[in-house]
């Protein structure tokens, strides 16, 4: 931005650190909302691909989103607790809509048609796994148990595929035992 570190030029444009963070969060919210809308719209173009491929693409997109926002996420983790109102704005403007987007996407997959599932809870688990994997890479400098990204994405998609067989599992649970 052409500003010299420590020279105070940033505060000619913003009155406080909170205002800087607030502006960054609002820009992030707008960008994320557009991206969610775009991804959901683009998913229609891939609906004839196998579910496992669509799940892998979704996981890759989640990891890419985390990488794209890495600097902002670092700043937020370091400084956001000073500004509780910005925490709420992040939660309601970014985090919850991302998980809602995952839940919507899952519920719209043809393989899950007719499944009455708690898509929000499933999205929380699958989305949380992506966030945790990325955070471990960023903060601990390697993925959990050194699982490289290709293996993580493959396993994440396999877990998502397990949702297709929910009816069989539910029926087995209800079957009388001898």
């Amino acid at each position: 931005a052409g500003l010299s570190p420590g020279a105070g030029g940033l505060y000619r444009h913003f009155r406080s650190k909170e205002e800087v963070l607030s502006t960054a969060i609002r820009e992030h919210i707008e960008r994320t909302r557009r991206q969610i809308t775009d991804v959901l719209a683009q998913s229609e173009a891939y609906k004839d691909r196998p579910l496992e491929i669509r799940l892998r693409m979704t996981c890759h997109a989640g990891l890419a989103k985390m990488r794209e926002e890495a600097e902002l996420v670092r700043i937020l983790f370091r400084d956001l607790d000073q500004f509780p109102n910005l925490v709420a704005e992040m939660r309601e403007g970014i985090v919850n809509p991302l998980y809602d987007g995952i839940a919507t996407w899952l519920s719209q997959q043809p393989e899950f048609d007719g499944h009455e599932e708690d898509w929000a809870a499933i999205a929380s688990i699958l989305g949380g796994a992506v966030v945790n994997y990325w955070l471990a890479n960023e903060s601990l400098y390697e993925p959990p148990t050194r699982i490289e990204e290709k293996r993580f994405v493959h396993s994440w998609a396999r877990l998502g595929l397990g949702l297709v067989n929910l009816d069989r599992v539910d029926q087995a649970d209800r079957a009388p035992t001898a």
Side-chain angles (χ1 to χ4, degrees):
L3 301 174
S4 301
L10 183 64
Y11 291 107
R12 285 189 214 128
H13 302 282
F14 299 98
R15 291 177 295 214
S16 66
K17 185 178 198 176
E18 182 175 9
E19 192 175 315
V20 172
L21 286 173
S22 178
T23 300
I25 288 169
R26 288 190 183 106
E27 287 177 11
H28 181 76
I29 288 170
E30 278 307 308
R31 183 173 53 251
T32 299
R33 285 187 178 158
R34 283 191 308 273
Q35 287 172 329
I36 291 169
T37 301
D38 291 348
V39 166
L40 289 174
Q42 289 172 0
S43 69
E44 275 296 305
Y46 301 112
K47 67 182 176 187
D48 53 346
R49 290 190 180 182
L51 178 59
E52 185 170 3
I53 299 299
R54 295 191 318 267
L55 285 164
R56 286 183 189 187
M57 292 169 67
T58 301
C59 186
H60 279 298
L63 290 169
K65 177 65 178 163
M66 294 299 296
R67 280 191 286 274
E68 175 188 329
E69 304 295 348
E71 290 303 316
L72 179 60
V73 171
R74 277 189 204 103
I75 292 167
L76 295 176
F77 272 114
R78 187 185 70 221
D79 297 327
L80 210 52
D81 63 334
Q82 300 171 39
F83 311 109
N85 59 318
L86 295 180
V87 172
E89 196 167 341
M90 278 290 292
R91 184 180 55 247
E92 298 308 317
I94 296 172
V95 176
N96 288 342
L98 277 172
Y99 284 104
D100 290 344
I102 296 167
T104 298
W105 182 84
L106 285 168
S107 70
Q108 292 174 347
Q109 299 312 295
E111 294 85 353
F112 302 145
D113 192 33
H115 286 278
E116 292 298 321
E117 296 301 327
D118 187 346
W119 295 114
I122 292 167
S124 177
I125 293 164
L126 292 175
V130 171
V131 171
N132 180 67
Y133 182 83
W134 179 82
L135 283 173
N137 271 316
E138 286 295 304
S139 59
L140 303 173
Y141 307 109
E142 66 180 39
T145 63
R146 297 182 183 93
I147 302 296
E148 72 274 358
E149 188 170 313
K150 183 178 180 180
R151 283 179 61 201
F152 173 78
V153 170
H154 173 79
S155 296
W156 188 92
R158 299 288 297 158
L159 284 171
L161 277 175
L163 295 168
V164 173
N165 299 317
L166 288 174
D167 286 337
R168 284 188 228 142
V169 172
D170 288 344
Q171 290 170 0
D173 287 344
R174 288 188 222 118
T177 57

